[in-house]
């Protein structure tokens, strides 16, 4: 099941007016702060649940997006939770060349938040945010509905952005689960 396939069609955040019709959803998608911080601000106990962490082949599209030559990378998938409720599914792709030297600690985060590492580091630079829609019949949509038991009744969104940590790229994708907007 893991890693879950993500959408292929992405929009830049300046295309949000044509594609996002909910101001609350837009504020989450376009937020340039850490989702960890935003979820903690909701008030109930925050936690990270590690779903999967596996080294595997990186697609040509992702290699192009990250401007890398690595064939493989570490795929890390987590749920960001408030209490027992999953609010965000996140997938991070870290090329093998990224998780060397000081950044090797990224491969050993376990149930710790990647966002706390990235947003506390002055060496972390974030690219523009892109977003996509999650179709209910996609692998991610099926995971949300069947495994997480969260029916997709309104449009479900996912965002992504490339971070460079000390010049090393990684791709962070974050899906806003239906429970977040209840």
């Amino acid at each position: 099941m893991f890693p879950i396939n993500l959408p292929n069609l992405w929009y830049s955040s300046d295309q949000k007016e044509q594609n996002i019709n909910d101001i609350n959803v837009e504020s989450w998608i376009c937020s340039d702060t850490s989702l960890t911080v935003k979820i903690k601000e909701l008030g109930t106990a925050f936690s990270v649940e590690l779903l999967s962490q596996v080294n595997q082949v990186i697609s040509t599209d992702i290699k192009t997006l990250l401007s890398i030559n690595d064939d493989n990378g570490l795929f890390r998938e987590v749920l960001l939770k408030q209490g027992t409720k999953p609010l965000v599914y996140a997938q991070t792709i870290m090329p093998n060349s990224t998780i060397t030297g000081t950044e090797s600690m990224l491969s050993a985060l376990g149930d710790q938040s990647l966002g706390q590492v990235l947003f506390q580091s002055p060496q972390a630079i974030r690219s523009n945010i892109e977003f996509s829609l999650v179709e209910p019949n996609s692998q991610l949509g099926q995971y949300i509905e069947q495994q997480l038991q969260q029916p997709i009744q309104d449009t479900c969104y996912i965002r992504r952005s490339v971070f460079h940590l000390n010049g090393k790229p990684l791709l962070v994708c974050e899906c806003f689960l239906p429970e977040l907007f209840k």
Side-chain angles (χ1 to χ4, degrees):
M1 166 182 279
F2 297 110
I4 294 174
N5 293 324
L6 302 184
N8 292 319
L9 179 61
W10 295 86
Y11 303 97
S12 66
S13 58
D14 59 1
Q15 294 174 293
K16 63 185 179 291
E17 287 79 19
Q18 301 97 311
N19 296 285
I20 305 171
N21 55 10
D22 183 317
I23 194 75
N24 188 33
V25 172
E26 181 181 325
S27 73
W28 280 85
I29 291 173
C30 297
S31 174
D32 57 5
T33 62
S34 164
L35 291 186
T36 297
V37 170
K38 282 185 70 92
I39 292 172
K40 284 181 177 180
E41 288 172 351
L42 296 176
T44 307
F46 169 82
S47 66
V48 175
E49 179 184 337
L50 180 64
L51 299 172
S52 173
Q53 185 165 298
V54 61
N55 200 291
Q56 78 166 50
V57 174
I58 299 174
S59 72
T60 304
D61 289 344
I62 300 300
K63 288 169 66 170
T64 301
L65 179 67
L66 296 176
S67 301
I68 58 164
N69 293 320
D70 299 54
D71 290 324
N72 294 321
L74 190 65
F75 286 65
R76 179 176 189 255
E77 293 170 284
V78 300
L79 292 174
L80 305 183
K81 300 166 98 175
Q82 181 188 38
T84 59
K85 294 186 302 190
L87 301 181
V88 173
Y89 160 84
Q91 181 183 101
T92 304
I93 300 173
M94 298 174 266
N96 285 344
S97 62
T98 294
I99 50 177
T100 59
T102 305
E103 291 72 33
S104 64
M105 56 80 173
L106 295 174
S107 65
L109 289 173
D111 288 341
Q112 295 177 34
S113 166
L114 172 65
Q116 289 196 291
V117 173
L118 292 176
F119 285 94
Q120 289 179 359
S121 172
Q123 288 79 32
I125 300 168
R126 182 187 213 163
S127 71
N128 293 333
I129 294 171
E130 296 180 314
F131 70 93
S132 186
L133 283 61
V134 177
E135 299 296 334
N137 63 349
S138 68
Q139 187 182 11
L140 180 54
Q142 293 294 301
Y143 174 76
I144 292 166
E145 291 196 322
Q146 294 174 10
Q147 302 299 315
L148 299 180
Q149 299 291 300
Q150 294 188 29
I152 299 175
Q153 296 169 333
D154 297 312
T155 305
C156 185
Y157 295 93
I158 185 170
R159 73 176 188 176
R160 73 178 185 183
S161 49
V162 175
F163 283 85
H164 285 87
L165 186 58
N166 291 318
K168 299 176 180 178
L170 59 149
L171 179 63
V172 178
C173 305
E174 299 155 317
C175 178
F176 303 96
L177 300 173
E179 192 67 37
L180 178 63
F181 302 109
K182 287 192 173 177

